[in-house]
Structure formats: C-alpha cells, structure tokens
Amino acid sequence: MKDVAVAAGVAQSTVSRALNGVPVTEATRRRVRTIAEELGYQPHPGARALRGAPTMLLGAVVRDIADPFFAGALRALSIEANKRGYSVVLGHARAARDEAVSLTAALKARHCDAMVLLGDLGVDPRLLDELRKVHVRVVALWHGGTPQAAGFPSVGVDNRVGVRAAVAHLAALGHRRIAFVGPGAHGDIRERQAAYENYLSGVGIATPAGYVCHVANSIAGAKQAFAALRALGEPPSAIVAATDLLALGLIHAANEGSVAVPSELSIVGFDDIPLAAAAMPGLTTVRMPVQKIVAAGVALAIGDRAQSNDGPLLDPPHLIFKPRLIVRGSTSRCLDSI
Amino acid sequence: MKDVAVAAGVAQSTVSRALNGVPVTEATRRRVRTIAEELGYQPHPGARALRGAPTMLLGAVVRDIADPFFAGALRALSIEANKRGYSVVLGHARAARDEAVSLTAALKARHCDAMVLLGDLGVDPRLLDELRKVHVRVVALWHGGTPQAAGFPSVGVDNRVGVRAAVAHLAALGHRRIAFVGPGAHGDIRERQAAYENYLSGVGIATPAGYVCHVANSIAGAKQAFAALRALGEPPSAIVAATDLLALGLIHAANEGSVAVPSELSIVGFDDIPLAAAAMPGLTTVRMPVQKIVAAGVALAIGDRAQSNDGPLLDPPHLIFKPRLIVRGSTSRCLDSI
DNA sequence: TTGTAGGCGTTATCAG
DNA sequence: CTGATAACGCCTACAA
C-alpha cells in the first residue's frame, strides 16, 4: 500500500480512503485504483484483523465430513456463508476426546468470527467450556437439545414430529412389529428413539426386547443391526432407521439376505440424502430441511450483529424446523394384516 | 499480552519470549505461563501474520463437497493438514464461471499459506492466472494433466494403468462389447476415456458408436446412460464407469430395469468409495490411493519450505500414484463367450 | 479533500 | 537475561 501511495504520489491514508469508498476526488480515486490494480495490491487481512475488522471466517466443526448427510449440510453451509462473504474453516472432532480437540477449537476460534457445530459431537464438556470462554459466537446445529449445548443458540429439526410421521405411516400400513435402529450416542438420535418409544406406547403397540438396536452409523452397522433383528424370535415387519445411511444399509442387507423390500420388510429412513431417492427401492424417509436449518444457523452465527451487543445472550434462541415425510417405495402394507 | 506483562511485573517482550521458548529464567517462564493461563491469554493471529508468521490455513477448492469421492478426499486432506497444525478453508468452485470465483479465490489466497485444488475444476483460466499471481503455493490434485494446470505442482493417479486393469479384467472375462460412461468435461476423466479407447483398439476390440456415453456425474446421469446404452442395437455386456458414483447408479438402473448384475451386465467403477463395497453386488472398481495422493499434495503445499526458496518453481513436480483393481461381485464371465 | 500521526498485538533488535 | 523500542500494514482521528 505504501508502494501504491508512492506511485500515485499521495499519502497512504488517501490510498486507504480511495480503496474503501471514503469520499475522495474522483480523479484521485481512479488513479489510485488503477495503480493498485497494476501493482497487484492485495490488502493484508492480518493487518485488518489487528484493527478489529472481522476475519470473515466461519468455523465448522463436524464429526465426519464423509457422512453423506453432513457432507450435504457442509455444502449448504459453505454456500450460505459465501453469500455473506464468509469462508468456512473445517474442524475435525474426529480424534475427539484428545486434548487435540480443545487445541483445534481454540486455534480456530481465534481465526474465526463465529463457529458452527454440526451434529452432536459427543464431545467432552471441556471443549464446550473453552468455546464459551472464547469470545466468538457459537451456534449448535442438529445438537438434539442435549444439555451440553444449552448455553449456545441452536437450530435443529423437530425429531418428534418426524419420527411420529414415520411410525404413524407404518402403523397405518398395518405394521405392528416395528423396530428402531440408530447410533445410540447422539442427542438428535436419542430424541428420535424417544419419540419412537413414546408414540408406540401411546397407541398401544409393544416394543419387545431387541427391537431397539444401537449400531454404528454406517453400512456395516446397518448389516449388524439387520442380522440381529432377523435373529429375533419374532422379527419386525418394519424398521425405522434413525438415519438414511442406516436405512440404505438395511436395504442392502435385506437384498443380500433375500428379504424383499418392501413386501417382506418395510424401511423408513431419516434425512433424505440424495442417495435415498436413488436406492432400490426408493427410500421412504423424513426429509430434513437442511437448507433452512443451515441458513438459520448462519444467520444466528454471523447475521445482524446489530441486535446483539455481544456478551453471552442470557436466553439463546433455539430454533426448530419441521421435517416432512417423503413416501417412496421402501414401505408397503404389512402382509400379516391383510 | 500487555495485561500479562503488567500482572507478572515484566516487560511485554519478556512475556513474548517466555511464551515462545526463547531462553528466559525458569522462574520467570513459569510465572508468566501461569498468569497467561489465568488471564486466558490468546495470541492474536492477525498480529502474528502482520509480523510475517504463517496463518496455518490451507485453502481447499473443490467442485462439490457432497460428491462422495471428494468428501473422502477432503476428509483425508483435513486430517493430513491437522497433523501439520494447519486448518482447512473451504472453497467452492460451484458457482464457477462467475467473477465470484476469482474473488473467492483471491480472498482466500490472502488468508491461506497455500491452496490445494481438488479435481479438475473446469475452471476458466482467469482463476488460474490469478492464483499464479498471488504469492501462495498452489497444488493441483486429480487434475488429470490438463494443460491449464501445467504451471502448478500436481499429484494424481495413473488413469491409464487403472483403466487398462479394468478393461483387461473385463476382456479376460470374455467381454467384447465394453462401453464407457463418464462425465465428459474433466481432465482425469478424459484420460480415463482415452485409456479405454486406446486399450481396446490396441487389442482389436471395436467400440461402436454410442459406446462412449457422456453424462453428469450423478445417479441421475447414470440412469440416462443406462437407458441410452440399452437402447443401442447391440447393448454392451460390460460397462466401465469413470467414477464409482456412476457405477453405483448403473447398478441401480440395471436393478430397476431387471437386468441382472453381473450375469447379464458386468460393471466396473473407479475410485473405490466406501459405498462401493456395500453395493449389491459389491462393486468391482479401481481403488484410488486417496491417502497417499493427499499426503503428497499437502507435503508439496506446505511441507519443507526449506528446499524451495519460494518463487515459482520452473519445473514443478508432477507426482503420479498407481491405483489397484479391486475385484468384487459386479463383474463376471460374459455369457456370450461360454 | 488531503496529509500526518498514532495505535492495534507481536516479535526482533539493540541496549543495558 | 531482561527492558525499551521499532516495525509489520492498515485505518482513522485530527490538523492543515
């Protein structure tokens, strides 16, 4: 910038003004702009940050980027952030439980204007504590109302409504032996499981031992679950999977085991990832309003700082969006009930 | 830091030294460290950047994060970068062709110590030019030797070896009607197609009109391709898909169309994404050495700066790793050849 | 409208 | 071994 000033024969401050839209003579502005262009001048973000300017960096912490659902969420996040001129910095909670986590988080926190937590990271409270101390806005997405996240604003989905729609759909098709498969550990999933149990007991349908199956959120996990459920004395005629990844794995496992979907076994997923529509048969699932949730999260994280004169908000907002059941081919009338 | 200095009763410079491992009295070091801890002191990265310190940020530009293959690559990249203390900044080439692209790239370039381009971004040369001007290291991964990327160091896979292994495998199974499906536009894919054509003509197997099918790299694209190939007078008995996503789509389409895989139609993919092993049947595919490629790319981007006294290298390295054919259930002996 | 000067938080240099 | 001081690049009062 000094070089530009010299080349243009003006003071540095004038260059700064010309480049930042502060009133300057039109001639000066043009000259400065031209010269800056020629010299390939690039403002130094560090120097700006030093002056208190935002870094325009948004931290995103996600357990596993390769999970199709979170990959989609991350894409939405990136797009939404870019709209507002922000870039996304990736954080891994993968190696969690190590001190590496807090280190990573702290490191990023310094760079970032705000942070978005995607999914229940199953993270130890220390990380949250550190995050609270650092003076950046933290928003939790899909945290499933775990008490850990209580201090942060959050945006999520109405798991209860989603699961009720799924189970009610199965019940309406005549199913009475309905199992649940999900990764056991995370907040959102626990909500889904609770909703499943709550609804069934509400309408007087039993859930025998073994009908709730906790496995890893992966194809392999789904195969385990399938095997376990088929080994039961009275195998289910329908399964509610807590995620589409599990649902797709269950369909595969069923194909492998020569169990016809949906005629012998109905399967409902949750998320509506792109692959869900392409499965054979198409997966009946609960569509997550990813776009809306992410947009709301970003708005909370970096939107109108005007209304929030910083400091931790005493009553952080908790937004809940409603999902919608998408009926495809993986569910059909229960044979027993004909 | 000023506060820490005051609280510890020493000069700022001493605090800096104590915290950075510069020789200080052991007593002083401990005292300063303790107080810094108590006060929750966090070094200001902007100020450090101003002094010429690296930002420890690595830019990653990818066309679509939600593409399973690149999601995996991105995960590997993030892990590799974290190992070296770097964080990854996400870039989108999604809205490409706009000036937004160059803007984004420039923006990030200022923050980042280096940039990694994942896949042939089909990007207009202006972006590359800008990237060249900015004084950051840029490494191209999976760029497929497109001339555009010539000026940058690159790391990729030996597409020729991979495709030859795939096609040779099919030929050995007796297949003579072998089609190719791929997104037409990108460098790596073009290499794969060329290798396909080259190999087949080398062994005297014909590739009738219509046997090369260009579609979008998606499940939907695969379904189009499948339909087009089946509509041919003499449909292929085997298909080489340029990506696993397409291969999986083809399997789905075949299932839907009641074409048995592999007995009526053999399918080979490329990448070996996690879902490939879980498909029904398991996908025979060419395994991409993602880990190695990413590690090499990161090393090139932010590794030993020692040996490179900056300035654009006149002879940038181009690393090529060899893929390996993984045979699963989606390929079998051609019926015609029995 | 433009120039001058000061300071943001760090680290490096130079004295002590 | 430690303290004072300058400098990094940018922005912004304040003065001209």
Side-chain angles (χ1 to χ4, degrees), chain A residues 135-180:
Chain A
H135 197 62
V136 299
R137 190 81 68 85
V138 177
V139 178
L141 264 42
W142 289 289
H143 247 256
T146 50
Q148 308 177 346
F152 302 115
S154 72
V155 187
V157 71
D158 193 325
N159 288 305
R160 192 155 169 280
V161 163
V163 169
R164 286 177 73 95
V167 183
H169 167 67
L170 292 172
L173 288 171
H175 292 278
R176 291 299 176 266
R177 304 194 312 280
I178 305 175
F180 178 90

Side-chain angles (χ1 to χ4, degrees), chain A residues 198-221:
Chain A
N198 185 271
Y199 178 83
L200 285 186
S201 77
V203 297
I205 296 180
T207 53
Y211 265 40
V212 168
C213 210
H214 287 169
V215 294
N217 186 33
S218 63
I219 301 289

